[in-house]
Each structure stands twice: as C-alpha cells, then as structure tokens.
Amino acid sequence: MSVTSRVPEAAGAAERPACLDPPGAEAADTAASPPLRVHYEDASVLVLDKPAGLLSVPGRGPEGLRALSVHAAQRWPDALVVHRLDMATSGLIVLARGPTAQRHLSHAFAQRAVHKRYEALVSGHLSAPSEHDDGWGLIDLPLIPDWPNRPKSRVDFEVGKPSRTRWQVRAHEWLRGQPVTRLRLEPITGRSHQLRVHLLALGHPIVGDALYAPPDLLGLAPRLLLHATELDFPHPESGKRLRFTSRPPF
C-alpha cells in the first residue's frame, strides 16, 4: 500500500512543504534537531512531521530546549501545543494557532473526535487475530505510571486506568536476520507510552525501544520503530474533517 502525505482542500489553506530551522542554529543544533516537514498550514492549524529524537515540548536542561514547539514558535509565534508524541516517536503532530483554535482542538481530542494511526515494527512474527473478521485485534490492559522507574508505565489491574489499543498485522518481515512484524496501531485511549507497553505485554515489543525492549532488539535499529502515519481531525473553525498521512521512514 502506498502511503503519501496529502493536504485536504480547505478554505484559505495551502500546502507548504518546508524545512523549519531555528534562526541562528549552529551546525550541532541542526544535527540534534533535524528539519521538520510542514504538511499543512492555515490561520488556525499547523500539521508537522516530527522526527524521532526530538521532544514535542521543552524538557530539562539545555538539550530540552530543542523541541518541536520551540522551533514552531520561532516561525509561528501563535503556535500552541495540542497533543504530544514521545521523543523517540516520529510522525504527524498538529499544533493550534492561537488559544481559540487550541481550545477547539483540545476539546476534539478529549471527545475522541481525533483519529490517529501508527505503524510499528515489533519483534517476532505475530499472527493476525483470528477472532475478528476485520483483521483488527484489541489490547485492553489498564496502565499506570511506573513511578519508581520513571518515565516508564506498566500494566496494573488494580489501579491502572482503562487503556485500549487496536492492532492489525500488515506484513511479516526480516530485519538483520531477525523476524519482525509490521503493525498498524490505533490507540483508542491516550495513556503515556500506551502503544509501547501494550505491545510489550503482548510479548512483541517494538524494535529499538530503549525503555522496554530487551537488549538484543536494541541493536536491530538506531531508533524506536514507531511512526504516527495517519491523523484525522475536525478543523477548529469550519468543522470540516482534515486527513493527513505520512510514510514511515523504516
């Protein structure tokens, strides 16, 4: 299946593929924070493609200032965060332009009116779920932050919050001689590290996951092989649904 970026038609909107570099950035900074692809831009919304290894919002210390939100604000001073991707995860992310758009988009996320899909490579050859005719399985395991081992999360059946992930097998592949499975993932809830912990609990951790994968899987890839491939949400002004896709870089 071919997955490409597509800009939907919207009033006053135009596709603007571009690189987003902070003014005056030194060569080392550019290497640490790669250029960002702009999928879509209008007066209310920005849709960007976050590279792996870049924070969504600032973190601790000088390195924490190299964040997508900081880069975006240098070009669009009204850009505001609506949701986040893990630092290790790449792919589509939406930012609001101004507090009104942020409020509408945040409400859409809270009401689960935003649809997201990811693609991942996980260890082993995972069989498709046989109990579902549509090829999608469901991981329904409650999660809670693992405070003694921050920033990890863990499954907890007593006090964990309900957490659900749909998954579908795309293909069985081999990576450096090891069996891996390419999955589509659709988070129904949005807990911290939900996809990563759910796949670990399924017995098929995501390749390259420095927090959850065993050491033998870390050598297979230089990064977490998890990418936000699809994003579908209502425009904060018109209400028209916008849909974007991004091809995984692995």
Side-chain angles (χ1 to χ4, degrees):
M1 182 185 72
S2 176
V3 183
T4 57
S5 299
R6 180 171 64 86
V7 177
E9 297 178 1
E15 182 180 14
R16 293 187 59 177
C19 289
L20 193 61
D21 290 313
E26 299 296 331
D29 290 345
T30 302
S33 298
L36 304 176
R37 181 177 182 185
V38 181
H39 283 265
Y40 181 83
E41 172 191 353
D42 69 17
S44 301
V45 171
L46 298 170
V47 178
L48 308 178
D49 211 314
K50 188 188 84 65
L54 183 67
L55 290 165
S56 294
V57 297
R60 297 178 179 178
E63 294 294 325
L65 295 178
R66 299 192 182 104
L68 178 140
S69 62
V70 174
H71 285 236
Q74 290 173 340
R75 178 164 176 177
W76 298 278
D78 59 353
L80 298 172
V81 173
V82 178
H83 67 121
R84 305 180 187 184
L85 293 176
D86 291 345
M87 180 178 178
T89 304
S90 58
L92 294 168
I93 188 168
V94 60
L95 285 81
R97 298 192 65 182
T100 300
Q102 184 189 43
R103 184 167 60 253
H104 284 291
L105 286 171
S106 296
H107 179 75
F109 272 92
Q111 296 300 310
R112 298 181 183 171
V114 179
H115 300 149
K116 297 180 290 180
R117 281 186 179 175
Y118 295 74
E119 193 162 305
L121 281 182
V122 303
S123 67
H125 282 167
L126 178 58
S127 299
S130 57
E131 68 274 18
H132 296 279
D133 293 337
D134 62 358
W136 286 87
L138 177 67
I139 305 171
D140 190 353
L141 295 171
L143 300 179
I144 189 173
D146 189 357
W147 295 112
N149 299 294
R150 294 179 67 186
K152 289 185 175 183
S153 294
R154 61 181 174 85
V155 175
D156 191 307
F157 290 99
E158 294 184 359
V159 296
K161 293 184 178 181
S163 307
R164 294 178 295 278
T165 300
R166 280 165 37 92
W167 61 277
Q168 183 185 58
V169 172
R170 285 204 65 194
H172 290 155
E173 302 177 13
W174 294 84
L175 181 63
R176 298 187 179 181
Q178 298 296 317
V180 295
T181 303
R182 187 173 295 272
L183 297 180
R184 282 195 187 96
L185 300 169
E186 187 176 284
I188 299 173
T189 53
R191 310 300 178 198
S192 178
H193 294 179
Q194 176 176 311
L195 301 179
R196 300 162 73 172
V197 178
H198 273 176
L199 269 299
L200 176 68
L202 203 63
H204 296 269
I206 299 175
V207 175
D209 193 337
L211 284 179
Y212 299 102
D216 60 313
L217 287 181
L218 297 181
L220 294 181
R223 53 154 294 189
L224 175 72
L225 298 188
L226 178 64
H227 185 80
T229 57
E230 298 181 32
L231 184 62
D232 183 308
F233 60 91
H235 191 277
E237 288 189 7
S238 68
K240 179 180 179 180
R241 295 204 68 88
L242 307 181
R243 180 177 180 271
F244 302 90
T245 60
S246 173
R247 186 188 300 273
F250 50 81

